[in-house]
Amino acid sequence: MQHYNMNLNLKVWRQKNSKTSGAFETFKVSNISSEMSFLEMFDVLNEQLVAEGKEPVAFDHDCREGICGMCSMHINGRAHGPWSKNTTCQLHMREYKDGDTIVVEPWRADAFPVIKDLVVDRSSFDRIIQAGGYISVNTGNAQDANALPIEKQQADDAFAAAACIGCGACVAACPNASAMLFVSAKVSHLALLPQGDPERKTRAFNMVNQMDAEGFGSCTNIGACEAECPKGISLENIARLNREYVGSMLSGSAVEGLQQ
Amino acid sequence: MSLTGIFLIVFLVVHCYVNAQIFYFDGGVRFLEAAHFMGTNLLIRTTEIGLFAFLILHMVQGLSLAFKNRSRRSQKYAVSAGSATSPWYSRSMALLGTLILLFLVLHLYKFWGPNRLNQLTTGEELNLYTAMKEEFQMAWVVAVYFLGCFSLAWHLVHGFYSAFQTLGFGNSRYKGMIKSVGIGFSIVVPIIFFMMPLAFFMHWL
């Protein structure tokens, strides 16, 4: 494909902090290469703003390799932009053509308050993990891979669930701002492996409780989360979470866990 | 939502089966026999109380869920994905449900209400076959029934699958089967229901 340069109009959400209300600001950027990533385009914009003595646009990013889950832009109505199974940092400017207008918003959910501009506070995810997304046993050194036989399909499903990078695109994409796909991935990868078994009965219950306490919406099986997930986390995990949750409720241990 | 929904799906099957008796083209003999059984059997009448309880529970839960979920994003997106990431009917369950409720008001007012009232006051059932024949001569009634069946069909396309997903059946082994059975059910049942007013209106019966 031929490389090309383009001039773009950007409508970017600007917000000072979580206390103030924000608004869109329009920018023009020129000579953007089709080979740039979306975040590199934002670097160009910010250098331009710094040169003009203006406040650069704050946005989250870290690895820029599509694996860390830090980038978080809602681009023209799509979490991580229009490409499927893709993060914002791996969205490339060849998607756009000269003269395009791109609307960039932060993840919008009451459980993800805006810190500044396009940066949102996703620590509610951390608190959900703290509520049960771990194992307490000391696993020691890594043992021989074949010492603990695990069915191949089981291991594959656990791996697919563990691929969740916790970026929050599921919440951003969900019309209900629900975090079910994230929670279900975190519950699933432990529920499918023997290491996760001892705390299995309380895990789903406690994590779902924390999810509700954080103010996320409830799942109505719309499926926009799965469509937007950069790691292709499947809705099957939500079905598994529901099974785990019922199991958690039926056994008394969930309630005991709460009382402790 | 899922448990009440599945109960209502079972109710639809029974209701559809009983009412489809009119298609024996016997002037409503078989239908009236079945209607008499449904209207007088103690077990059925007891279940009817449960049906209303579940229906109301389904509506209250559904609407409160919809309002609660809507409040979880105070600042809305300026640009939303729309149908690029999810089908419209999955995002419109509360609206479709409300349309079905509006249809139900007319439906109960036309048939269930007068029949039960008559049973209470005179102990006799109404002839629902002739009642249908009369009511379904009015084009606006048939139009409301079309709207009701249309809303029901789309509500079911999402609702059938969603109920089983919530109960945890949405794994790779059953998902495809549940989705296909759900879509088949959502097409067949509302069509059979709508054939009833249509058949009377077109004088096929």
Side-chain angles (χ1 to χ4, degrees):
Chain A
M1 201 179 162
Q2 196 78 46
H3 300 178
Y4 58 96
N5 287 351
M6 64 193 102
N7 300 329
L8 296 166
N9 302 305
L10 298 173
K11 261 184 86 178
V12 182
W13 186 261
R14 302 301 303 264
Q15 187 170 337
K16 204 170 172 209
N17 54 47
S18 62
K19 306 271 186 301
T20 56
S21 60
F24 281 104
E25 197 175 339
T26 310
F27 302 102
K28 280 189 191 303
V29 281
S30 8
N31 283 324
I32 298 296
S33 157
S34 59
E35 298 307 293
M36 274 181 190
S37 78
F38 201 82
L39 296 186
E40 282 166 337
M41 183 270 289
F42 258 80
D43 293 338
V44 171
L45 168 69
N46 277 346
E47 279 179 22
Q48 189 180 306
L49 288 174
V50 169
E52 289 168 9
K54 292 178 186 157
E55 179 91 8
V57 178
F59 63 92
D60 260 330
H61 62 105
D62 190 9
C63 76
R64 299 205 179 195
E65 291 177 329
I67 53 171
C68 78
M70 268 318 279
C71 54
S72 61
M73 294 177 186
H74 205 257
I75 303 159
N76 281 344
R78 302 287 302 273
H80 290 303
W83 293 359
S84 76
K85 292 187 188 172
N86 192 66
T87 53
T88 299
C89 65
Q90 294 303 300
L91 172 66
H92 281 67
M93 296 313 293
R94 57 180 176 273
E95 168 66 20
Y96 302 95
K97 45 184 203 307
D98 192 38
D100 276 357
T101 299
I102 310 173
V103 181
V104 187
E105 298 174 74
W107 285 172
R108 294 203 192 278
D110 291 1
F112 285 169
V114 171
I115 295 173
K116 189 177 167 63
D117 298 339
L118 301 172
V119 180
V120 296
D121 179 2
R122 286 170 280 184
S123 60
S124 47
F125 269 14
D126 298 337
R127 289 187 291 274
I128 293 174
I129 294 294
Q130 284 158 14
Y134 53 80
I135 54 169
S136 304
V137 291
N138 184 357
T139 50
N141 288 334
Q143 54 185 325
D144 183 86
N146 292 326
L148 204 56
I150 298 166
E151 203 187 328
K152 174 80 168 97
Q153 187 60 47
Q154 197 102 337
D156 287 350
D157 288 349
F159 187 80
C164 169
I165 51 177
C167 65
C170 45
V171 176
C174 177
N176 306 332
S178 169
M180 277 290 269
L181 195 68
F182 166 76
V183 177
S184 74
K186 298 303 171 195
V187 163
S188 284
H189 89 260
L190 293 172
L192 287 162
L193 295 175
Q195 290 90 338
D197 212 42
E199 283 146 313
R200 187 175 185 162
K201 290 277 164 60
T202 48
R203 179 176 298 115
F205 186 80
N206 292 340
M207 288 178 78
V208 167
N209 266 1
Q210 188 61 38
M211 171 181 83
D212 291 340
E214 295 291 346
F216 290 103
S218 302
C219 178
T220 58
N221 303 321
I222 290 170
C225 52
E226 186 187 50
E228 293 290 54
C229 177
K231 296 296 153 185
I233 304 292
S234 160
L235 289 178
E236 282 176 34
N237 292 300
I238 294 185
R240 185 179 296 105
L241 170 61
N242 289 337
R243 293 198 295 276
E244 292 288 319
Y245 184 79
V246 171
S248 215
M249 292 284 279
L250 291 179
S251 77
S253 36
V255 186
E256 283 162 30
L258 263 190
Q259 283 162 351
Q260 274 167 14
Chain B
M1 292 299 325
S2 62
L3 293 174
T4 50
I6 287 174
F7 181 85
L8 294 173
I9 286 172
V10 174
F11 158 73
L12 284 180
V13 175
V14 177
H15 188 25
C16 191
Y17 172 75
V18 170
N19 282 44
Q21 306 288 321
I22 61 169
F23 295 120
Y24 274 110
F25 295 96
D26 55 1
V29 179
R30 292 235 208 178
F31 165 73
L32 287 172
E33 262 176 48
H36 175 68
F37 171 78
M38 297 302 284
T40 51
N41 185 286
L42 193 65
L43 185 71
I44 303 284
R45 295 299 305 278
T46 317
T47 318
E48 189 179 70
I49 299 168
L51 171 66
F52 275 98
F54 271 40
L55 187 66
I56 290 166
L57 192 63
H58 192 74
M59 292 178 330
V60 171
Q61 267 191 317
L63 286 174
S64 59
L65 186 67
F67 283 117
K68 193 193 87 177
N69 279 341
R70 206 147 295 182
S71 72
R72 298 309 195 196
R73 180 172 285 132
S74 324
Q75 176 75 52
K76 308 280 175 230
Y77 285 113
V79 188
S80 63
S83 294
T85 54
S86 60
W88 69 271
Y89 50 83
S90 72
R91 287 175 276 119
S92 315
M93 291 299 275
L95 174 70
L96 290 167
T98 308
L99 289 175
I100 296 171
L101 176 64
L102 292 178
F103 154 78
L104 266 184
V105 171
L106 179 79
H107 183 53
L108 294 178
Y109 173 74
K110 289 281 184 199
F111 299 106
W112 182 86
N115 193 31
R116 291 287 178 271
L117 191 68
N118 211 51
Q119 278 180 299
L120 265 176
T121 49
T122 67
E124 290 292 311
E125 289 165 75
L126 291 178
N127 186 324
L128 288 173
Y129 190 80
T130 49
M132 278 201 275
K133 209 163 191 169
E134 266 171 44
E135 294 294 348
F136 295 146
Q137 297 312 313
M138 289 177 273
W140 74 270
V141 176
V142 178
V144 172
Y145 271 69
F146 176 77
L147 185 72
C149 293
F150 182 82
S151 310
L152 177 66
W154 289 111
H155 195 75
L156 279 170
V157 172
H158 182 67
F160 191 101
Y161 149 76
S162 182
F164 287 97
Q165 167 76 0
T166 297
L167 293 178
F169 288 100
N171 56 27
S172 51
R173 188 182 296 174
Y174 301 120
K175 195 175 181 175
M177 190 183 79
I178 290 167
K179 277 209 159 167
S180 348
V181 171
I183 290 171
F185 188 89
S186 319
I187 295 170
V188 171
V189 170
I191 284 182
I192 295 177
F193 273 130
F194 184 65
M195 284 307 284
M196 298 169 193
L198 190 67
F200 283 109
F201 187 72
M202 301 298 285
H203 298 288
W204 298 334
L205 278 167

